[in-house]
Amino acid sequence: MIRIAIDGPGGAGKSTIAKMVAEKMNMEYIDTGAMYRAIGWMFAKNKVNTEDSAEVQDVLERTVIDFDNGKIFLNGEDISGEIRTPEISKAASVCSKLPEVRSKLVALQREIAEGKSVVMDGRDIGTNVLPNAEVKIFLTADPMVRAKRRYDQLLESGKEADLDFIFEDIKERDYQDTHRKLNPLQQAEDAVLLDTSDMTINQVLDEIMKMAEGKN
Ligand code: C5P
């Protein structure tokens, strides 16, 4: 059994790389950012007052998140196509500060990973969700490089995008994610740092495959 934890800021290429590693090694991929996005989407849709702990708890108790074939479902509804906007990025970042949200999602993440080989990406996987993961990577890149990648991704999927807005959003989320009290984004002591600013996807993939070899 091998668990590969990939943490890092938004737009560093975590999900692209994690998916490729999972496919190559025939393992399950768990996108924890999609879970925070799903909750952010639902809170925004239902105008949940995120400062009201009882309301947050109540809505969470009635929320079921499922993954199937790379898609994410919230109470049975496929919302995969709706959670990748800058607005939902922001909503996810806001709701990821809430202890009720984190404890529900961290428990779900550990449950999904129980007893099997997985690639999991997020912000606190190596430090908190899977502290005993066999391979830990901290994947990062220059903020402008990350903004440009997200911009290209949005255009490719036929959505409108504004590079300046995305750049500001990335910097704001970096700040929020690294400064929150609960499980902030930080490199685990035993994680390997990969700065992908000047690396191709295949170079990153090769590095990770080298780390995984021999631990499987
Ligand atoms: O990775 P992605 O950009 O989809 O994550 C969206 C947001 O969810 C992040 O900005 C972060 O606030 C939150 N998140 C988190 N912990 C994780 C994964 C994501 O707090 N493990």
Side-chain angles (χ1 to χ4, degrees):
M1 187 170 92
I2 178 168
R3 287 151 308 164
I4 303 180
I6 305 181
D7 289 303
K14 297 185 301 291
S15 60
T16 307
I17 292 295
K19 257 184 238 160
M20 291 170 88
V21 172
E23 195 165 309
K24 263 202 158 194
M25 298 187 70
N26 202 14
M27 287 155 63
E28 188 171 339
Y29 163 52
I30 303 161
D31 176 358
T32 65
M35 298 182 184
Y36 289 93
R37 286 171 182 274
I39 300 288
W41 176 86
M42 186 195 52
F43 281 6
K45 191 176 170 214
N46 295 304
K47 300 196 170 52
V48 172
N49 176 4
T50 53
E51 280 168 20
D52 182 340
S53 167
E55 185 178 342
V56 165
Q57 193 60 45
D58 180 54
V59 176
L60 286 176
E61 271 165 22
R62 289 184 280 113
T63 303
V64 179
I65 292 179
D66 288 309
F67 284 97
D68 188 29
N69 236 339
K71 296 202 181 312
I72 183 159
F73 294 81
L74 193 128
N75 292 341
E77 183 186 351
D78 178 4
I79 57 163
S80 324
E82 302 186 42
I83 58 169
R84 303 276 163 208
T85 65
E87 291 75 17
I88 299 302
S89 300
K90 211 163 250 169
S93 198
V94 169
C95 84
S96 72
K97 283 192 219 148
L98 305 173
E100 301 86 353
V101 172
R102 296 210 76 83
S103 74
K104 177 175 172 109
L105 294 187
V106 169
L108 177 62
Q109 289 152 14
R110 288 185 181 143
E111 192 187 306
I112 298 175
E114 181 74 41
K116 61 181 171 219
S117 292
V118 292
V119 183
M120 192 181 278
D121 75 353
R123 303 291 186 287
D124 62 337
I125 312 306
T127 52
N128 176 46
V129 181
L130 303 175
N132 300 321
E134 286 73 15
V135 177
K136 292 186 188 179
I137 293 134
F138 194 82
L139 203 68
T140 189
D142 175 79
M144 193 35 145
V145 172
R146 289 187 275 129
K148 183 73 174 51
R149 287 180 187 159
R150 200 127 270 170
Y151 172 78
D152 290 341
Q153 239 174 22
L154 284 167
L155 291 193
E156 262 169 43
S157 63
K159 299 214 166 70
E160 282 182 23
D162 174 337
L163 185 58
D164 290 336
F165 181 85
I166 296 173
F167 182 52
E168 289 309 315
D169 172 65
I170 287 233
K171 284 194 297 184
E172 164 73 20
R173 279 209 294 146
D174 282 0
Y175 184 85
Q176 297 283 347
D177 288 348
T178 49
H179 286 80
R180 70 168 177 243
K181 256 199 237 132
L182 286 171
N183 317 124
L185 170 65
Q186 60 182 58
Q187 184 178 343
E189 266 175 29
D190 49 352
V192 175
L193 175 70
L194 280 183
D195 184 329
T196 69
S197 304
D198 297 313
M199 290 173 87
T200 64
I201 288 181
N202 280 330
Q203 284 171 328
V204 180
L205 186 63
D206 283 351
E207 284 293 320
I208 298 179
M209 293 306 292
K210 264 190 251 159
M211 285 180 228
E213 270 162 28
K215 301 223 171 152
N216 203 356

